[in-house]
Amino acid sequence: KFNYTDILMGGCSIDAYGVPLTDEALETARNSDAVLLGAVGGDVGNSRWYDVAPELRPEAGLLKIRKGLNLFANIRPAYLFEQLADACPLKKEIIGNGFDMVIMRELTGGVYFGARSTEEKDGELYAVDSMPYSEHEIRRIAIKGFEIAMKRRKNVISVDKANVLGSSRLWRKTVTEIGKEYPEVELSHEYIDSAALKLIRRPWEYDVILTANLFGDIISDEGTGLTGTAGLFGSAELSVSGKGLYTPNQLHYPDESVIGKQKVSPVGMIMAAALMLRCSFGLEKEAKTVENAIEKVLEAKISTEDMKYPGAKIVLTGEMADFCCQFLGKDV
Ligand code: IPM
Ligand code: MG
């Protein structure tokens, strides 16, 4: 039995309270064992939340809850479901046996939280974003990465830009040191640009990708894109104490035109709940049960409009959720 409390974050909170996340909402999140969070969006083009101060945009609420709950470790799984092999953008003869990776993204440091400014200088505007990392921030995410690798294929590829950035050089040095404590795990380093290239040529070579905040943001979308649809996976954001916030992997859903149309897949959110059962509550069997139900839905070739794959029958968001429940053996 779970007890739920609803809190507002993002555009709905801006509309209700004038800020993307109130301190009270953050406190409620802090006092909960886990947080389930829907996609953030409505922030593009002529949206009413677009042309406002950065701290009043919907994303600012997300950054506040990440920092406020100290959610430094972001786990983003991406693998190819056999049922979706035809939807993968890579040719079948290339993708062969699929791929199965976890992107381990640092989430409370780097350029997302570094000093930022815009000023007038020499008659023009001048903007700065800085990308700070401390050893302890790198160390703790590296440890998480190696621990996850120990439960998988024991391979960590750390992705950085150490040929240019000081923060990446510290990243590489620190990850290498931590790596020595995990002799069974094979560690290698790649630059973000070559990793971005290799990921779409030989994705099966990745097991755990360990990377900084901004690189992880970008490369996790690339990883998800390879799965053939963005609507299938969950993402876990964990704190030191193991407290977690769980979201669909496609956390950023800027397209307002879909609102109220029942076109968007609920599967990412359901998979997020499975991750919650596993990571926050240690309910591995239950998490697997949910994931298996999703596989059955895919086998039955049922899909929503946004994640349609060859041969799929398109249903509405609510109907898709009903199918997931049915395959879970639950009444709807
Ligand atoms: C993500 C999202 C967020 C991020 C946005 C919505 C601020 O893109 O979690 O991948 O950049 O971290
Ligand atoms: Mg993103």
Side-chain angles (χ1 to χ4, degrees):
K1 182 173 185 317
F2 293 86
N3 296 314
Y4 296 93
T5 320
D6 289 325
I7 56 178
L8 300 184
M9 199 208 79
C12 53
S13 173
I14 296 174
D15 289 348
Y17 306 114
V19 288
L21 180 74
T22 63
D23 291 341
E24 295 76 53
L26 178 60
E27 203 44 38
T28 305
R30 221 182 245 131
N31 292 330
S32 307
D33 296 322
V35 181
L36 283 167
L37 176 84
V40 180
D43 59 342
V44 284
N46 54 7
S47 146
R48 64 185 180 284
W49 304 305
Y50 179 67
D51 216 2
V52 296
E55 64 277 13
L56 292 178
R57 290 176 56 119
E59 298 95 326
L62 183 61
L63 299 188
K64 181 172 170 179
I65 204 167
R66 281 178 180 164
K67 202 64 173 178
L69 300 184
N70 208 2
L71 304 167
F72 73 97
N74 183 199
I75 304 174
R76 296 192 163 176
Y79 49 91
L80 193 66
F81 279 90
E82 225 181 288
Q83 298 82 349
L84 255 74
D86 286 333
C88 173
L90 297 184
K91 292 193 197 96
K92 234 182 174 158
E93 58 266 31
I94 295 176
I95 202 62
N97 293 329
F99 58 88
D100 180 356
M101 69 183 87
V102 164
I103 293 137
M104 194 75 203
R105 167 189 179 194
E106 198 291 326
L107 203 60
T108 47
V111 71
Y112 274 63
F113 293 94
R116 224 181 291 292
S117 64
T118 307
E119 58 183 297
E120 196 151 336
K121 209 170 148 180
D122 302 328
E124 60 178 347
L125 284 175
Y126 180 80
V128 177
D129 296 284
S130 48
M131 186 163 169
Y133 265 115
S134 66
E135 278 182 289
H136 89 270
E137 284 174 315
I138 304 169
R139 216 177 281 132
R140 63 185 184 179
I141 187 76
I143 290 170
K144 267 266 186 278
F146 281 102
E147 276 173 4
I148 289 202
M150 285 296 287
K151 295 188 202 140
R152 295 174 47 94
R153 303 198 303 277
K154 300 196 170 67
N155 186 295
V156 169
I157 295 183
S158 174
V159 171
D160 61 38
K161 191 69 188 173
N163 49 348
V164 178
L165 305 176
S167 57
S168 279
R169 278 194 282 276
L170 181 62
W171 180 275
R172 197 173 273 223
K173 177 173 170 290
T174 312
V175 170
T176 304
E177 279 163 19
I178 299 291
K180 291 189 186 128
E181 291 163 31
Y182 296 85
E184 283 175 56
V185 178
E186 192 183 328
L187 167 67
S188 54
H189 303 270
E190 288 177 6
Y191 297 133
I192 178 69
D193 49 349
S194 34
L197 173 76
K198 206 182 98 185
L199 196 63
I200 52 168
R201 296 186 66 136
R202 299 193 297 280
W204 54 87
E205 288 184 11
Y206 292 95
D207 177 18
V208 175
I209 296 180
L210 176 63
T211 195
N213 207 340
L214 180 61
F215 301 148
D217 177 44
I218 299 167
I219 214 157
S220 61
D221 270 23
E222 200 186 343
T224 321
L226 281 171
T227 66
T229 162
L232 256 187
F233 293 87
S235 159
E237 306 187 359
L238 306 177
S239 75
V240 189
S241 65
K243 200 166 255 199
L245 177 140
Y246 301 87
T247 74
N249 196 333
Q250 193 182 22
L251 175 51
H252 191 213
Y253 207 104
D255 183 2
E256 278 203 308
S257 73
V258 297
I259 293 176
K261 307 251 170 70
Q262 296 251 7
K263 283 183 176 175
V264 179
S265 163
V267 174
M269 196 71 229
I270 295 170
M271 291 293 256
L275 279 175
M276 176 188 77
L277 296 175
R278 172 174 298 127
C279 302
S280 277
F281 301 112
L283 297 169
E284 176 60 36
K285 195 174 120 243
E286 289 78 355
K288 227 35 264 125
T289 309
V290 175
E291 289 161 354
N292 289 343
I294 300 298
E295 269 201 52
K296 285 184 199 142
V297 174
L298 298 178
E299 262 157 36
K301 291 213 176 280
I302 301 161
S303 173
T304 43
E305 177 78 32
D306 64 330
M307 59 171 234
K308 61 180 167 214
Y309 44 95
K313 173 182 184 290
I314 306 299
V315 299
L316 300 176
T317 304
E319 292 169 337
M320 184 76 176
D322 291 347
F323 276 114
C324 297
C325 291
Q326 265 170 33
F327 283 110
L328 250 180
K330 297 269 177 225
D331 293 337
V332 294

